[in-house]
Amino acid sequence: MSIRIMLVDARPDRREVLGPALSAEGFDVVACVDPEEGLLSAVVRFAPDVVLIDIDSPSRDTLENLRTVQAHQPRPMVMFTQDDANESIRRAIEAGVSAYIVDGIERRRVRPIVEAAMARFSQFQALEKELLETRGKLAERKLIERAKGIIMKQQGLSEDAAFQAMRRLAMRKNKRLAEIAESVISASELFAP
């Protein structure tokens, strides 16, 4: 299966040369766009696998457009540039660029760079998903602990007995334990002095 590339380049003459060159390397170039023109809508419209940016030096607006794309339609992004300044590299990575390559595009190097960027992006997405799940579980655990404390205090139960009471109620109501914990907390706040 061919990798779908959206080429982002401010110079139309370079886009006209680079698009066919990428196609000759086996990429499916689905769009060639200017970095200052609606990148998010272009990503939504063309659904590329990778966004490939060829730019002399990324402007603040270009980086902000890339950041918007990553926030709403995350994609691996490969930037080929002439700008080797540390600050530019840092800002590009913060905007979501997966690979930052200085000294332009060489046809024979594009495929391994794109594939490496796609692999790193997938790895990053998996880590981000795991982090969100872990944060969610921790937040639920905190709710359960708080609700357990409320039950222990109000009913005079041990920690284990309070937990078992919440667990039985969750099973009886066919709800998650965290939902029962939220209800306990809400009810205690309602009747708080």
Side-chain angles (χ1 to χ4, degrees):
M1 187 170 101
S2 179
I3 297 171
R4 296 170 49 84
I5 299 274
M6 184 174 86
L7 177 61
V8 178
D9 196 327
R11 293 178 39 195
D13 57 319
R14 217 166 38 188
R15 286 196 308 250
E16 289 173 13
V17 171
L18 195 51
L22 290 168
S23 295
E25 287 296 312
F27 293 107
D28 180 10
V29 180
V30 296
C32 295
V33 299
D34 187 284
E36 306 296 326
E37 296 176 10
L39 285 182
L40 179 58
S41 61
V43 168
V44 169
R45 180 174 176 206
F46 297 108
D49 298 318
V50 177
V51 176
L52 193 147
I53 305 109
D54 185 24
I55 196 163
D56 292 326
S57 180
S59 71
R60 193 173 70 193
D61 289 343
T62 297
L63 293 173
E64 191 55 42
N65 287 338
L66 296 177
R67 187 181 327 276
T68 301
V69 168
Q70 284 299 29
H72 300 286
Q73 293 286 318
R75 296 285 191 281
M77 295 183 182
V78 178
M79 182 175 285
F80 290 92
T81 182
Q82 299 302 315
D83 188 349
D84 64 354
N86 287 340
E87 184 64 19
S88 296
I89 295 168
R90 185 187 61 74
R91 287 191 339 254
I93 298 300
E94 286 174 356
V97 171
S98 308
Y100 189 95
I101 314 301
V102 178
D103 282 336
I105 298 178
E106 287 182 35
R107 279 177 59 173
R108 66 180 177 79
R109 293 176 49 213
V110 173
R111 181 167 295 283
I113 289 169
V114 166
E115 288 176 356
M118 290 175 70
R120 290 297 285 173
F121 178 80
S122 293
Q123 187 178 44
F124 180 77
Q125 291 295 102
L127 284 172
E128 198 167 69
K129 179 182 177 193
E130 184 179 332
L131 176 62
L132 286 173
E133 288 172 358
T134 301
R135 283 182 177 161
K137 288 177 184 176
L138 180 60
E140 284 183 359
R141 190 76 228 150
K142 286 180 178 180
L143 280 175
I144 292 166
E145 290 298 319
R146 185 171 167 209
K148 196 166 47 171
I150 291 168
I151 292 171
M152 289 167 56
K153 183 178 177 182
Q154 289 181 350
Q155 301 295 318
L157 298 176
S158 69
E159 183 176 352
D160 187 53
F163 180 77
Q164 293 303 327
M166 286 185 358
R167 195 168 138 237
R168 280 192 303 274
L169 183 58
M171 289 191 310
R172 197 169 57 242
K173 299 274 188 181
N174 197 25
K175 290 188 173 189
R176 293 177 28 255
L177 195 54
E179 292 175 289
I180 297 300
E182 286 176 343
S183 297
V184 168
I185 293 167
S186 294
S188 77
E189 289 172 350
L190 180 66
F191 299 113

